[in-house]
Every structure is written in C-alpha cells, then in structure tokens.
Amino acid sequence: MSIPQLSSEQLVAAREAATQARRARAELKEAVRTGQVAFVAALQKATGDDVLSRIKVVDLLRSVPRVGATRAQEIMEQLQIAPNRRIRGLGRHQIERLSEQFQ
C-alpha cells in the first residue's frame, strides 16, 4: 500500500490538527499537575474525548502530584494495566479501579 501524496494545504492542516491535539493533551496533564482538575475528573473527561483518550495512562498518573515514575508503575502493575496502555484502551473495570485509587 502506497502512502498518499498530500497537497501542501493538506499537510499544513494535518500539522495544525496534530499540534492542537498535542496541546490539548498537555493542557489536561498540566491541569492535573497543578491541581485544577482531579485525576478522576481528568480520567472521565479523557474517556469521552477522542483526542484526550490517546494519553498514555502512565503519563496521566505521573502528572498527579506526588506520583512519580515508580509509584505510577506500581499502580499500573497492581491494577494489571499494560505499561503502554492508553486511556481509550482501558476496560470498564480498570477505569473503576483507577478511580478508586484516587478518591
């Protein structure tokens, strides 16, 4: 399968869309980091949004105050969530258990 050739306008639009998506994900993680949004609220928001649902679970966990790489990894292992799992790939029970961790 060959890669489609995009016009310069299509390339610019694609770059802009990708930049906006990265910015939205970074803003959500920053809001969790500063305490403006609780982890559970961020998880619920990301579950319902196609762009935000592509955040890796471990990255969202690490944005929680006092949760570093080690603690995030421990939580992921305890809840049996793969290290590369994104929010959109979480099951109903995994979301519930993650929410219970931060209530």
Side-chain angles (χ1 to χ4, degrees), residues 16-48:
E16 182 62 31
T19 301
Q20 288 176 356
R22 284 192 301 273
R23 195 169 287 141
R25 291 190 289 268
E27 287 172 359
L28 180 64
K29 290 189 286 187
E30 183 62 26
V32 172
R33 187 173 292 113
T34 60
Q36 294 173 341
V37 177
F39 175 80
V40 175
L43 187 61
Q44 291 172 347
K45 183 176 181 179
T47 303

Side-chain angles (χ1 to χ4, degrees), residues 25 28-29 39 42-61 76 81 84-92 94-95 98:
R25 291 190 289 268
L28 180 64
K29 290 189 286 187
F39 175 80
L43 187 61
Q44 291 172 347
K45 183 176 181 179
T47 303
D49 187 329
D50 189 45
V51 171
L52 297 177
S53 68
R54 295 182 181 179
I55 297 173
K56 286 189 175 184
V57 177
V58 71
D59 290 342
L60 189 59
L61 280 171
M76 298 282 284
I81 300 173
N84 61 347
R85 180 71 61 197
R86 296 182 187 273
I87 292 174
R88 68 178 170 179
L90 291 175
R92 177 173 43 106
Q94 290 173 324
I95 291 172
L98 265 173

